[in-house]
Amino acid sequence: LASCFVIGNQIQLRNRRDSLQAMLLGLIGIAFTVLAGSAFKHAPSQVTDPTYFQLFYFAAIAICAMILPGISGALILMILGVYEHLVALPEKLIKGIDLGETAQQLIIFACGAACGLIVFSRVLRFLLTKYRHGTLSLLVGIMLGSLSVLWPFQDINKQPLPIALDVHSALLIITIAVSTSLVLWLVKLNSSAPTQD
């Protein structure tokens, strides 16, 4: 929420058209994130033996989550059905199980991630340069939509849990308060820093 506030303050709304556009793009971002979260419930069966092309392609998609706020790369890999396979690869490598094939799969996955990061970062830079306020509106929507997934007081089926007065709930609330304060403090620190010409 603090990050939404920070990014939302960068959106310039000069007239009613800008306001409507920002609201529409924000709603699209919320809908996209909520649908992505619900897709996890209906995720396909695990891909036990992905092809090299699938590894490259899935890595390129999942790495975009490093740049976009509110979306987890692990969640994307779970939706695609390759998370379990990929998590097992480092352990296979350490234990020396099928060393050549395991190393090849990790290298291909890393190459896909690198290509996806390079391409998507350029696309995002272009969007922020040409359509800055629209892109920021969409990102705020994505972050707001992710709250339905990130909300800590729910079970694995996204059913709400009661907020009990116990140590676990207290630690969660303290963590939320500290992280919110940290984000706002960093923004204040950055805005008060002298600019260099």
Side-chain angles (χ1 to χ4, degrees), residues 38-61:
S38 64
F40 174 63
K41 294 179 184 177
H42 308 96
S45 56
Q46 290 297 313
V47 181
T48 54
D49 190 22
T51 64
Y52 291 156
F53 175 77
Q54 283 178 316
L55 286 172
F56 186 93
Y57 177 69
F58 291 162
I61 294 173

Side-chain angles (χ1 to χ4, degrees), residues 25 30 35 80 83 104 116-117 156 172 175:
L25 288 168
I30 291 171
L35 288 173
L80 296 171
Y83 181 80
Q104 254 183 325
L117 191 60
I156 196 167
L172 281 173
T175 303

Side-chain angles (χ1 to χ4, degrees), residues 155-173:
D155 62 20
I156 196 167
N157 296 314
K158 303 291 180 275
Q159 297 302 314
L161 295 172
I163 302 176
L165 296 175
D166 57 10
V167 176
H168 183 259
S169 297
L171 285 173
L172 281 173
I173 292 167

Side-chain angles (χ1 to χ4, degrees), residues 169-192:
S169 297
L171 285 173
L172 281 173
I173 292 167
I174 291 167
T175 303
I176 291 168
V178 169
S179 58
T180 301
S181 302
L182 181 62
V183 168
L184 297 176
W185 176 73
L186 287 171
V187 169
K188 186 178 179 182
L189 196 68
N190 185 52
S191 61
S192 62

Side-chain angles (χ1 to χ4, degrees), residues 8 29 41 47 59-60 64 72 74 84 88-89 96 102 104 122 126 137 140 143 145 155 170 178 185 190-191 194:
K41 294 179 184 177
V47 181
C64 297
S72 162
E84 297 294 335
L89 289 181
T102 303
Q104 254 183 325
R122 291 186 178 189
F126 169 79
S137 300
V140 168
M143 287 189 288
D155 62 20
V178 169
W185 176 73
N190 185 52
S191 61

